[in-house]
Amino acid sequence: MTAADAAAPGATRTAVLLSDGRELIYFDDEPGRRRGEPDRRGLAPVARPPSQLRHDRLTDEWVVIAAHRQGRTHLPAVADCPLCPSGPARETEVPEDYDVAVFENRFPALGVPAVGLPAVGLTGPGEGGPSASGQARRGDRAGPFAGQPGDGRCEVVCFTADHDASFAALTPRRAATVLAAWTDRTAVLGRLPAVASVFVFENRGEEIGVTLGHPHGQIYAYPFVPTPLSAMIRVARRLGRCQHCEAVAAEEAAGARLVASTDAWVAFVPYAARWPFEVSIYPRRHVPDLPALDEDERAEFPSLYLDVLRRFDRVLGVKMPYIAAWEQAPVRAGRRWAHLRLRVFSNRRAPDRLKYLAGSESAMGVYVNDIEPEHAASLLRAAAC
Amino acid sequence: MTAADAAAPGATRTAVLLSDGRELIYFDDEPGRRRGEPDRRGLAPVARPPSQLRHDRLTDEWVVIAAHRQGRTHLPAVADCPLCPSGPARETEVPEDYDVAVFENRFPALGVPAVGLPAVGLTGPGEGGPSASGQARRGDRAGPFAGQPGDGRCEVVCFTADHDASFAALTPRRAATVLAAWTDRTAVLGRLPAVASVFVFENRGEEIGVTLGHPHGQIYAYPFVPTPLSAMIRVARRLGRCQHCEAVAAEEAAGARLVASTDAWVAFVPYAARWPFEVSIYPRRHVPDLPALDEDERAEFPSLYLDVLRRFDRVLGVKMPYIAAWEQAPVRAGRRWAHLRLRVFSNRRAPDRLKYLAGSESAMGVYVNDIEPEHAASLLRAAAC
């Protein structure tokens, strides 16, 4: 048995290893629980995933090629769910009952074998590699076929052992434990030399492509800074002020798109919303990432976020598919210009209609939104529990 | 009856007006056909669509808000198809039989009433509006809620009167007429003062959100330059050479991702393909847009494109959903750095599996591709007719 090995703010943390060497970390709502039930599956040690990063020189962006994921688990029956706790009848990815469990993805888009942390074996930034100098001028040095192994890390975050629950159904206490897990992973993964940006997100609903029904989110630790993050930093730097801070102030003054707020947080439909239902959740304070949140911000987040998610599920009278995406400052570059934001958006535009990313969105990046943001906000305001 | 009023290269062109004032243009495979069957529906004159452009100041991008489209025609029964020619029993969007018919979208994301061309009533670039100075520094002048009416134009391009056909089933002669129509519309719409960029595309298949089954494509004439186009121009300008020309030469030398070619055109899976099946089709010559193609390039395109589309439909043994997207030079800025490209890509990764744009793609712009580009190319090469 392993005793809790560290305390994440707001939860108790215990790290163990799965039988193939992947790391599993329990985050418990309350201290005092002993952990360490072994993984009895006797899996072969994980190999370095054969994924590749390829540089699209035309646009100066990185693409992940992960052919090994083609055979990943796809919508298994509930009785075969790999995210439920192991029981007498079968072994899963999690050896025992849990509150929140985080582990390395068995079919990672990015990753290297990392036994323990700091992740032994993670390569440093190679010459010409994506993390060598951030985004700037990278394309200048490489040929037309610049690539490198898909270093980084992909983790799965199970929000509850209850297969049939959802994030919106969690207690505020449990949502605080999830926040503690997200915070811990952002801090730990951000210290890995290969990692440039930590992306914490949840895909919910088969309509947006979820392949496992168990309530869970994911973490992608990228070895480069994704384009939307660099674009936002570039704009803020050029204008000399945080555009998120300005948006928060302007939206509070305008009022028409507000959805919910607390002392420390505010949630609104952005003026230029791309999706039929989209909410930006901000700490009012200019904070770069989850580890930088203070105690009050941590304490207030769970009830605000649960409120927003419950409004999503009520606004059209059907369970909503959604993507919840934390925009965090890159690990090293441009941090002072970044402002933590949680974007929650759905591709459902009516009880029987989805929004698709077709030609304009997928090829030109131009979103056409069929619902006026002020209308979406008024529907969400009316969808209180 | 109206005689042909102009000749688009490779087709005969006749423009008429629908009963609500929208323009309809026939492109005929052969000259000599007289056109002018009236629209007998007696529709009320079209009003300016209530769409809005909103500037996302955080990323310096424009979003189209088009709430009136929420009620657009959605998967009608074949007998109610608005794109089939009118007949004795009912009136549609096209008053008579046709080869290729182009008309203003009745539910446009962008548009102003324009009777005849040059489009009377299209507003010029307003102070602070998106086309005033292209992309650069636009955000500096506007407040947090910068917007303007959704000027521009959206057109529907019907490829054939045969409801059950597809682009891949067209004759080369008909594909040449479609190319002539695309070329004509690019030239004509590009002369409108409000238009900064003309995007010609086809969405095919309900799996990517097509709401009308009749074989058709669309044209969006945007009043700004979409982000991927400006990104490509920025990279080429910085490096001092066209990265598309370099990619064409490098792919031909490498060979592993080639799919098909003619003297003037080459088709390959790009090295950093974002989609499971994705092909870039290029004129080898450094050409900015469709109107700049020469006679040989026009003559060779139909057979090459039909070959690629037929490979798509054979590669997995199922009819493939796809997006076909022409990347063209902006109308005014950066033209020398742009290189015409037709991207064709599918969201089908297996006969029974789709690729979804979930968190990594939709929120961070980072694509994870489950099929190695070299493998996709070998499958497409083997899928010859």
Side-chain angles (χ1 to χ4, degrees):
Chain A
M1 304 275 269
T2 303
D5 58 6
T12 303
R13 177 192 194 281
T14 312
V16 300
L17 293 182
L18 295 173
S19 57
D20 55 7
R22 285 178 295 139
E23 198 168 34
L24 164 69
I25 305 148
Y26 296 99
F27 294 87
D28 290 323
D29 292 348
E30 306 297 341
R33 195 137 166 200
R34 290 189 68 82
R35 295 284 185 186
E37 196 67 29
D39 174 9
R40 298 187 171 81
R41 294 172 296 175
L43 300 174
V46 283
R48 180 191 186 93
S51 62
Q52 273 193 296
L53 290 176
R54 294 192 178 189
H55 186 236
D56 179 355
R57 193 167 164 88
L58 302 173
T59 57
D60 192 14
E61 290 182 313
W62 291 89
V63 174
V64 182
I65 309 292
H68 59 294
R69 278 171 54 80
Q70 180 73 318
R72 66 188 182 273
T73 312
H74 185 84
L75 295 173
V78 174
D80 297 324
C81 175
L83 309 188
C84 283
S86 297
R90 70 190 181 93
E91 303 287 331
T92 71
E93 290 282 75
V94 192
E96 61 188 289
D97 192 30
Y98 60 86
D99 291 343
V100 172
V102 178
F103 56 87
E104 292 178 69
N105 196 318
R106 194 170 178 182
F107 300 94
L110 299 167
V112 292
V115 178
L117 285 177
V120 176
L122 264 178
T123 58
E127 182 58 35
S131 56
S133 65
Q135 295 289 99
R137 304 285 156 151
R138 201 179 42 231
D140 301 15
R141 294 193 306 270
F145 303 141
Q148 69 161 49
D151 289 353
R153 177 111 153 195
C154 290
E155 297 186 339
V156 175
V157 182
C158 298
F159 303 140
T160 164
D162 178 0
H163 184 90
D164 298 316
S166 66
F167 201 116
L170 301 182
T171 62
R173 169 63 262 192
R174 176 59 54 83
T177 303
V178 176
L179 178 64
W182 288 337
T183 304
D184 174 84
R185 305 318 297 153
T186 299
V188 170
L189 298 177
R191 285 195 291 269
L192 300 180
V195 169
S197 179
V198 180
F199 177 44
V200 173
F201 64 107
E202 179 190 1
N203 297 330
R204 202 284 284 270
E206 289 181 37
E207 302 95 321
I208 52 151
V210 169
T211 53
L212 295 175
H214 195 109
H216 74 289
Q218 297 181 71
I219 298 173
Y220 278 17
Y222 298 117
F224 52 82
V225 180
T227 299
L229 299 182
S230 4
M232 288 190 286
I233 289 170
R234 191 168 57 236
V235 169
R237 185 178 276 138
R238 191 179 76 214
L239 300 179
R241 24 183 217 287
C242 173
Q243 295 303 300
H244 298 280
C245 286
E246 299 222 333
V248 167
E251 292 290 355
E252 294 216 273
R257 288 170 295 276
L258 291 178
V259 174
S261 65
T262 70
D263 286 348
W265 296 83
V266 58
F268 54 82
V269 178
Y271 169 74
R274 289 163 169 77
W275 296 83
F277 291 95
E278 172 173 352
V279 170
S280 288
I281 302 178
Y282 282 103
R284 290 172 204 272
R285 196 165 61 94
H286 183 69
V287 167
D289 55 16
L290 289 166
L293 290 174
D294 68 21
E295 204 172 313
D296 288 343
E297 287 156 347
R298 276 177 210 295
E300 290 181 16
F301 174 77
S303 60
L304 182 86
Y305 185 41
L306 292 170
D307 178 39
V308 169
L309 288 184
R310 288 166 188 171
R311 288 173 193 269
F312 265 65
D313 274 347
R314 294 170 64 96
V315 72
L316 292 179
V318 296
K319 206 170 168 182
M320 287 282 264
Y322 66 78
I323 293 172
W326 283 103
E327 291 172 352
Q328 304 200 75
V331 169
R332 280 168 279 270
R335 290 178 59 82
R336 66 176 283 221
W337 299 109
H339 191 133
L340 180 65
R341 172 166 72 150
L342 175 55
R343 283 180 74 203
V344 187
F345 52 91
S346 179
N347 62 341
R348 184 163 288 293
R349 64 181 172 95
D352 60 345
R353 296 270 195 285
L354 297 179
K355 160 77 186 162
Y356 289 86
L357 299 189
S360 188
E361 292 88 1
S362 289
M364 288 291 138
V366 179
Y367 282 68
V368 180
N369 183 353
D370 295 330
I371 300 188
E372 197 172 48
E374 295 71 31
H375 183 54
S378 74
L379 294 174
L380 287 167
R381 280 196 300 268
C385 294
Chain B
M1 304 272 270
T2 304
D5 60 3
T12 303
R13 177 191 193 283
T14 312
V16 300
L17 293 182
L18 293 172
S19 58
D20 55 7
R22 283 178 297 138
E23 198 169 32
L24 164 68
I25 306 150
Y26 296 100
F27 294 86
D28 290 322
D29 292 348
E30 306 298 340
R33 192 138 168 201
R34 290 188 69 82
R35 294 283 183 188
E37 197 66 31
D39 174 8
R40 296 188 173 81
R41 295 173 296 176
L43 300 173
V46 283
R48 179 191 187 93
S51 62
Q52 272 192 296
L53 290 175
R54 294 191 177 188
H55 186 237
D56 180 355
R57 193 168 164 87
L58 302 173
T59 58
D60 192 14
E61 290 182 312
W62 291 89
V63 174
V64 182
I65 308 294
H68 59 295
R69 279 169 54 80
Q70 182 72 319
R72 67 187 181 271
T73 313
H74 185 84
L75 295 172
V78 176
D80 297 324
C81 174
L83 309 187
C84 283
S86 297
R90 71 190 182 93
E91 304 287 330
T92 71
E93 290 283 74
V94 192
E96 61 188 289
D97 193 30
Y98 61 86
D99 291 342
V100 172
V102 178
F103 56 86
E104 292 177 69
N105 196 318
R106 195 171 178 183
F107 299 94
L110 300 167
V112 293
V115 177
L117 285 179
V120 178
L122 264 179
T123 59
E127 183 58 36
S131 56
S133 64
Q135 295 290 101
R137 306 284 157 152
R138 203 177 42 231
D140 300 13
R141 294 193 306 271
F145 303 141
Q148 70 160 50
D151 289 353
R153 178 114 151 190
C154 290
E155 297 187 338
V156 175
V157 181
C158 298
F159 302 141
T160 165
D162 178 1
H163 184 90
D164 298 316
S166 67
F167 201 116
L170 301 182
T171 61
R173 169 64 261 193
R174 175 59 55 82
T177 303
V178 175
L179 177 65
W182 287 338
T183 305
D184 175 85
R185 305 318 297 151
T186 299
V188 170
L189 298 177
R191 286 195 291 270
L192 300 179
V195 169
S197 179
V198 180
F199 176 44
V200 172
F201 65 106
E202 179 189 0
N203 297 330
R204 203 282 286 271
E206 288 180 38
E207 301 95 323
I208 51 150
V210 169
T211 52
L212 295 174
H214 195 108
H216 74 288
Q218 296 182 70
I219 299 173
Y220 278 17
Y222 297 117
F224 53 83
V225 179
T227 299
L229 300 182
S230 7
M232 289 190 286
I233 289 169
R234 190 169 58 236
V235 169
R237 184 178 276 139
R238 191 179 75 214
L239 300 179
R241 29 186 213 285
C242 173
Q243 295 303 301
H244 297 281
C245 286
E246 299 222 333
V248 166
E251 292 290 355
E252 294 216 272
R257 288 170 295 275
L258 291 178
V259 173
S261 65
T262 69
D263 286 349
W265 295 83
V266 58
F268 54 82
V269 178
Y271 169 75
R274 288 164 169 77
W275 296 83
F277 291 95
E278 172 173 350
V279 170
S280 288
I281 303 178
Y282 281 104
R284 290 173 204 272
R285 196 164 62 93
H286 183 70
V287 167
D289 55 14
L290 289 166
L293 291 174
D294 68 20
E295 206 172 310
D296 287 344
E297 287 156 348
R298 272 174 215 298
E300 289 180 17
F301 174 77
S303 60
L304 182 87
Y305 186 40
L306 292 170
D307 178 40
V308 169
L309 288 184
R310 289 166 188 169
R311 288 173 194 269
F312 265 67
D313 273 347
R314 293 170 66 96
V315 72
L316 291 178
V318 297
K319 207 171 168 182
M320 287 281 265
Y322 66 78
I323 293 172
W326 282 103
E327 291 172 353
Q328 304 200 76
V331 169
R332 281 167 280 270
R335 290 178 59 80
R336 66 175 286 220
W337 298 109
H339 191 133
L340 179 65
R341 172 167 72 150
L342 175 56
R343 284 181 73 201
V344 188
F345 52 90
S346 180
N347 62 341
R348 185 163 286 294
R349 64 181 173 93
D352 60 343
R353 295 272 195 283
L354 296 179
K355 160 77 186 164
Y356 289 86
L357 300 189
S360 187
E361 292 87 1
S362 289
M364 287 291 138
V366 180
Y367 282 68
V368 179
N369 184 353
D370 294 331
I371 300 189
E372 198 174 46
E374 295 70 32
H375 183 54
S378 74
L379 293 174
L380 288 167
R381 281 197 299 269
C385 295

